[in-house]
Amino acid sequence: MRFATLHDGTPDGRLHLVSRDNLRCIPTEGVQTLQQLIESWDALAPSLEEQYAALNASEEGPDFTAAPVMAPMPRAWQWLDGSAYDSHGDLMQKVFNHDPNPKGRPLMYQGLSDRFYGPLCDIPLPREEDGIDFEGEFGVIVDAVPMGSTAAEARAHIRLLVQINDWSLRAVAPVEMKTGFGWIHAKPACSMAPVAVTPDELGAAWRDARVDLPLAVDLNGAEFGRAEGYPMSYGFDELLAHAACTRDLVAGTVLGSGTVSNENFREIGSSCMAERRAIELLDEGAPRTPFLSFGDRVRMECRLRDGGALFGAIDQKVVKGGRA
């Protein structure tokens, strides 16, 4: 199944089913919001499967491409973000002389979850000199995961897959990291692509609790990266088990993969600017790609191998925000 949330004047919007070609949508019967669905998935999903089948069998339904779309999960009880791509972590460690990442222990932080930006809205940030960067990621939304769940047990709680842009302020992050208390200023709200999908929508591309598809990232209309999602050092099931080690994960928890990255980044590009700047520093002695300026536009989209639509696109402009 495929879901989207449309603006209806409320903070959580109105849940809709989206056709498999991402062209049409209908309001879900029997449930208003994605959070309500996640909290009662087993009870509600069978009826929604029937509604989804009927939508795909028909050629009728409102035009989804013109819909006033929000993030599928406009706000969440919890947002956790991993760093599951060793090629990205190893590069950052080498360039910035960070301590080695602990072996056998995923990196993860808990971030701002009271909002996720919709896929087409402008992104307001206070200062260009903060080092504005994007981070293309995949993510999962789970129902309730009990504390102490194994990876296999946690995998059964993955209900939906999403595509995320985890906005970052690179000049601020090192300052906050030195405090040992984590990020506040360096991690503003994230963005989500318009469509959340059940894992079966990926077919064989949902493999080992990983998205085995490329993430296309463009900056101001030019290709920036095409990294593949599969080479995670920890699958989403393992990341969830790590997160649930000492806590229950509430239904509606969103967990991200971290920046999608591959070892051949020089060939296929990157999913964030910090990685490209690090490569330039290694190869040329200094970074030459600037961080984002107000007015810059970032587009991200993951499609199926045959070119079919999946999550839809995040397509956003960075603008001046905060008080004048």
Side-chain angles (χ1 to χ4, degrees), residues 28-90:
T28 50
E29 296 180 10
V31 59
Q32 291 289 117
T33 70
L34 187 56
Q35 181 64 37
Q36 292 171 349
L37 170 58
I38 292 293
E39 290 177 351
S40 301
W41 184 274
D42 290 335
L44 296 171
S47 173
L48 293 173
E49 289 277 12
E50 294 178 1
Q51 296 172 46
Y52 184 59
L55 172 63
N56 285 307
S58 170
E59 294 184 356
E60 299 180 358
D63 181 5
F64 178 64
T65 63
V69 68
M70 305 170 72
M73 182 72 83
R75 54 180 178 172
W77 288 108
Q78 183 169 223
W79 156 240
L80 303 169
D81 197 19
S83 181
Y85 292 88
D86 282 349
S87 56
H88 177 77
D90 292 347

Side-chain angles (χ1 to χ4, degrees), residues 4 10-11 15 23 62 69 84 87 92 128 173 211 235 242 247 318:
T10 67
L15 186 63
L23 295 180
V69 68
S87 56
M92 296 298 107
E128 291 179 339
V211 177
H242 173 75
R247 65 170 84 175
V318 179

Side-chain angles (χ1 to χ4, degrees), residues 76-277:
W77 288 108
Q78 183 169 223
W79 156 240
L80 303 169
D81 197 19
S83 181
Y85 292 88
D86 282 349
S87 56
H88 177 77
D90 292 347
L91 179 63
M92 296 298 107
Q93 175 191 330
K94 182 176 182 179
V95 170
F96 299 109
N97 199 29
H98 292 164
D99 292 335
N101 295 335
K103 297 301 181 183
R105 183 181 180 86
L107 296 178
M108 189 175 295
Y109 76 91
Q110 184 165 342
L112 183 158
S113 65
D114 64 10
R115 75 197 62 190
F116 285 88
Y117 288 118
L120 303 177
C121 63
D122 291 344
I123 302 301
L125 293 168
R127 293 172 296 273
E128 291 179 339
E129 56 265 31
D130 287 340
I132 303 169
D133 198 358
F134 51 82
E135 293 189 58
E137 308 189 7
F138 296 113
V140 298
I141 304 176
V142 298
D143 61 12
V145 182
M147 180 170 57
S149 293
T150 66
E153 292 167 339
R155 184 172 183 173
H157 293 281
I158 297 174
R159 296 306 186 184
L160 294 168
L161 310 179
V162 291
Q163 180 190 308
I164 295 170
N165 184 357
D166 175 31
W167 293 97
S168 296
L169 302 177
R170 299 297 189 182
V172 181
V175 178
E176 292 192 308
M177 289 175 69
K178 290 178 181 177
T179 69
F181 260 52
W183 289 310
I184 296 294
H185 295 166
K187 288 292 185 178
C190 301
S191 305
M192 274 191 195
V195 182
V197 307
T198 50
D200 61 291
E201 291 288 321
L202 274 68
W206 176 242
R207 185 161 66 94
D208 301 327
R210 294 160 167 86
V211 177
D212 188 10
L213 292 168
L215 178 59
V217 180
D218 297 331
L219 174 59
N220 294 325
E223 182 176 315
F224 195 90
R226 297 293 186 268
E228 293 280 342
Y230 183 77
M232 298 169 70
S233 52
Y234 300 94
F236 281 110
D237 50 354
E238 296 168 297
L239 293 176
L240 288 166
H242 173 75
C245 179
T246 60
R247 65 170 84 175
D248 296 324
L249 302 184
V250 66
T253 294
V254 184
L255 185 146
S257 64
T259 305
V260 179
S261 176
N262 300 161
E263 290 185 358
N264 60 334
F265 38 64
R266 289 181 177 84
E267 301 167 24
I268 52 85
S270 300
S271 302
C272 72
M273 306 192 76
E275 187 169 288
R276 174 172 287 190
R277 286 168 58 88

Side-chain angles (χ1 to χ4, degrees), residues 259-304:
T259 305
V260 179
S261 176
N262 300 161
E263 290 185 358
N264 60 334
F265 38 64
R266 289 181 177 84
E267 301 167 24
I268 52 85
S270 300
S271 302
C272 72
M273 306 192 76
E275 187 169 288
R276 174 172 287 190
R277 286 168 58 88
I279 297 166
E280 292 168 349
L281 181 60
L282 287 177
D283 292 352
E284 304 173 34
R288 51 181 177 78
T289 299
F291 288 116
L292 297 177
S293 299
F294 298 140
D296 283 339
R297 181 171 291 278
V298 180
R299 189 181 191 280
M300 300 179 177
E301 184 175 15
C302 172
R303 286 182 168 267
L304 296 168

